[in-house]
Structure formats: C-alpha cells, structure tokens
Amino acid sequence: MKGINFITARTKVLCIIGYPIEHSMSPIMHNAAIQDLNLNYIYLAFSIYPNNLELAVEAFRAFNIKGINVTIPFKQKIMEYLDDIDTITQKIGAINTIKNDKGYLTGRNTDAEGGKKAILNAGYTILGKNILLLGAGGAARALSYILANDVNKIVIANRTEKRAEKLTNELKKSFGINAEPKKFNNYVLREEAKTADILINTTPVGMYPNVDKSPIPAEFLHKDLIVFDVVYNPLETKLIKEATKKGCKTLGGLDMLVNQGASAFEWWTNKKPNVNLMKKIIIEFLSKKEYEFFKNKNNKKNNKLLY
Ligand SMILES: NC(=O)c1ccc[n+]([C@@H]2O[C@H](COP(=O)([O-])OP(=O)(O)OC[C@H]3O[C@@H](n4cnc5c(N)ncnc54)[C@H](OP(=O)(O)O)[C@@H]3O)[C@@H](O)[C@H]2O)c1
C-alpha cells in the first residue's frame, strides 16, 4: 500500500448498505484497494433500517454516491427502486451492486461472476461437469445461473424442496439444461455425491458461530470431488477441513467474496484492484486479536459476518 490518501471535497463515496452491517468485510477490502491505487475514493458502511430503504435509494442520488454494495436483507427488495438491471441479474432475482451514473442507478449481481471467477482462478474446470448444489437461496441462484451454460447437470438439494423445484424449473427453461431438484437429506446427499464432480455448499451450515457443523457427512465425500464452500467465516470451514482430509480439491468462500468485490470495484472506478491484496487484508483482519474483540462486542444479536 502506498501511504494515506487525503479525504478532500472531491473524494467520491462508495458504500455498502445492510441491516445489520457492523460486521461487513467490504470496507476493509475496498479501502485497501483504493489506497493501493491511490484513488480519491472512500468506502463506507451504512446500517439502514428496513423501512428506510426507499429513502436510502433517494439518498444515493441526492448525495451522488458513486457505487453501492447491497447485502442482507435488501438484495431483492431494492430491485424495485432501480432504473436498470441486466437480464441475468433479473433472472437471478437479487442484486448486490449498484452503479450511480448521474442519478441513474443500475443494478448487477457480482456474486455470480465472483463465484465463477473463484472456481476458474483456482484452476478447476466447470465445462461438462456434474454439480451438486446444496441450498436454493440467493447464493445458489447466483451460482446456478452463471454456471448453467457450461455444466452438464445441476442437482439442487434444498431443505425446502419447493424452492429447489422452482430454481431447477427456471434453469431448464432458460438454458435447457439437465437440472434436478432434491430434498436436502442424508440419503439424497450420499447418492448424489457419488456421481457429482463438484459439490457447492451455499447453505450457511458451518458458518460462525456454528463452526462444528458441516452440511454433508464426511463419509459421503470422495477424492474425485471438488468441494467449494461459499461460507468464508471461518476461512476454513468444517466441510473444507473434512474434504481436504478425504483428498478432495477444495475452495473456500473468501475467493468468491473478494472476486465479487473486485468486479464491483472495477465497474465503479474503471480500475482493476489488486485482488491478492484484498484477500490478504481480510485474512489479516480475521486473524488479528482485535477481531475477537470486534466480534464479541458487536455480535451478540447477529452472529454473522456480512460482505
Ligand atoms: N463467499 C461469498 O462471497 C458469499 C456470497 C453470498 C453468500 N455467501 C454465504 O452463503 C450463505 C448463504 O447465503 P444466501 O444469501 O444464499 O442465504 P439465503 O438466501 O438465506 O439461502 C440460504 C439457503 O440455505 C438453506 N439453509 C439454511 N439453513 C439450513 C440448514 N440448517 N440446513 C440446510 N439448509 C439450510 C436454505 O434453505 P431453505 O430454502 O429451506 O430456507 C436456503 O436454501 C451464507 O453463509 C453467506 O454468508 C457467501
């Protein structure tokens, strides 16, 4: 990093909104990238009470906030207040990034491209592969839409089977692919893991503070499986630890987090951020003693880390 930037009357503002937002990693990685490139930007986090969402969107225009990340619980609701959303993002049904062009707000889902980039950058091929996707929520929708064109088959196992059915129907209709909904249970996981090439966990099972949980019993994993856990807190989940022990190739959620952030950053600033630096700064932050304090102090109600 190249020293401290001055915050001046010309400094452009980027931000993330959510509720709660105190545990977001985004300000840490974006401000590191801003300083590294010596840009006149600052990235802040705003906790927006849910009833004030529409007001917040008006404030983006009024205060000329150049770029906005959106997290829980606003990813779907905010879509109705924007001026433009690209087709794939409309289909995914959730946005996590907004660009403000002179008051014209365009929404996009960079989780999808961030997840795909993370897989490809790790050197894993998705072309013609059989995917076993655990979960059918926001992250599952983003990943299944972005991967659907390349893979051979997607099996979606979800606790609420209807949600898996809805998503597989959409994928079949949009891409004509082989997609099957399944109920999330051990029988299904054992059978489906046998023929899967890539297992992707998009459920929060194993996320802090429930770090001793894994969405799938270790005995169902096999060495030919690539295991991608989108959970990034802890950096190494129980699933990733067990998969590594079984000889699987693995990928944790941090790479997706950083790549979705990098895509947003480049879209807003037209500059490529240093992805390795963004990743390094989060690892550094998460491994620091102060983080324990930060977690304990603020995390009594919501034991979650957002991005
Ligand atoms: N690395 C990244 O960049 C990144 C990006 C996005 C999300 N994430 C992480 O991904 C996880 C999911 O986020 P999301 O936005 O997709 O959440 P979401 O929309 O709430 O979806 C959660 C999904 O997990 C399932 N689920 C929840 N608890 C479960 C349990 N105990 N057992 C089995 N299934 C369960 C839900 O099933 P039902 O349909 O039955 O409720 C749903 O399908 C979070 O941990 C989040 O931090 C990471």
Side-chain angles (χ1 to χ4, degrees):
M1 263 187 271
K2 300 162 190 151
I4 297 167
N5 294 4
F6 288 106
I7 304 300
T8 70
R10 292 175 193 273
T11 301
K12 297 184 182 100
V13 179
L14 306 169
C15 74
I16 181 164
I17 63 160
Y19 187 81
I21 200 63
E22 286 74 15
H23 312 103
S24 172
M25 292 289 117
S26 293
I28 295 164
M29 66 173 170
H30 281 287
N31 284 313
I34 289 168
Q35 285 178 27
D36 179 55
L37 290 167
N38 210 11
L39 302 179
N40 199 359
Y41 279 84
I42 187 167
Y43 187 106
L44 301 168
F46 296 118
S47 175
I48 304 293
Y49 189 67
N51 287 349
N52 287 335
L53 181 61
E54 192 173 2
L55 210 56
V57 176
E58 283 315 301
F60 302 155
R61 296 189 172 95
F63 287 96
N64 196 21
I65 293 180
K66 294 289 179 193
I68 303 103
N69 279 137
V70 181
T71 187
I72 295 167
F74 302 127
K75 286 184 170 188
Q76 287 98 31
K77 178 76 180 157
I78 203 164
M79 293 176 81
E80 61 193 75
Y81 304 123
L82 304 184
D83 302 306
D84 201 5
I85 294 169
D86 67 61
T87 317
I88 182 155
T89 303
Q90 278 178 29
K91 287 190 171 174
I92 292 169
I95 65 125
N96 71 330
T97 307
I98 300 169
K99 184 172 177 174
N100 181 0
D101 192 6
K102 297 187 180 112
Y104 190 81
L105 302 180
T106 306
R108 184 166 144 188
N109 189 312
T110 66
D111 279 341
E113 59 205 65
K116 184 173 176 179
K117 260 191 207 159
I119 299 173
L120 297 179
N121 289 350
Y124 304 141
T125 311
I126 48 179
L127 211 61
K129 299 293 181 194
N130 296 325
I131 310 287
L132 172 55
L133 188 64
L134 312 183
R141 293 188 64 83
L143 285 171
S144 58
Y145 266 97
I146 200 88
L147 299 179
N149 259 332
D150 298 324
V151 300
N152 175 53
K153 181 180 172 187
I154 303 188
V155 172
I156 299 178
N158 196 45
R159 192 174 57 177
T160 310
E161 201 178 355
K162 273 214 156 103
R163 248 177 134 187
E165 257 167 43
K166 182 173 181 297
L167 181 51
T168 48
N169 285 339
E170 286 176 34
L171 295 171
K172 282 192 264 191
K173 202 169 151 204
S174 297
F175 303 97
I177 67 155
N178 188 352
E180 267 180 41
K182 296 278 176 185
K183 175 87 183 145
F184 181 97
N185 61 40
N186 278 352
Y187 174 75
V188 163
L189 297 183
R190 186 177 57 216
E191 288 311 302
E192 295 302 329
K194 284 179 189 164
T195 52
D197 302 305
I198 307 180
L199 170 86
I200 306 179
N201 174 45
T202 69
T203 77
V205 179
M207 186 170 80
Y208 179 86
N210 302 311
V211 296
D212 55 346
K213 299 241 170 357
S214 169
I216 179 166
E219 61 264 36
F220 301 167
L221 305 172
H222 54 84
K223 69 171 181 31
D224 298 325
L225 201 56
I226 293 171
V227 176
F228 175 23
D229 194 346
V230 305
V231 174
Y232 60 85
N233 178 34
L235 290 171
E236 199 180 36
T237 58
K238 185 176 183 196
L239 170 60
I240 293 293
K241 280 184 191 152
E242 291 183 338
T244 307
K245 262 194 204 155
K246 283 272 175 177
C248 307
K249 291 179 178 151
T250 60
L251 178 63
L254 182 61
D255 289 81
M256 174 170 168
L257 174 77
V258 170
N259 278 297
Q260 66 75 27
S263 292
F265 188 98
E266 194 174 345
W267 191 36
W268 296 326
T269 65
N270 290 319
K271 305 271 185 222
K272 264 195 191 317
N274 181 338
V275 176
N276 289 333
L277 170 74
M278 291 166 87
K279 188 172 165 181
K280 189 172 147 254
I281 203 100
I282 292 183
I283 294 172
E284 217 172 277
F285 180 82
L286 288 176
S287 57
K288 270 204 169 148
K289 279 224 169 81
E290 294 93 90
Y291 171 63
E292 284 305 316
F293 171 76
F294 167 90
K295 225 164 49 177
N296 296 334
K297 187 166 178 258
N298 297 310
N299 227 7
K300 292 207 168 107
K301 282 192 222 127
N302 286 286
N303 285 315
K304 273 187 175 181
L305 266 185
L306 305 173
Y307 46 93

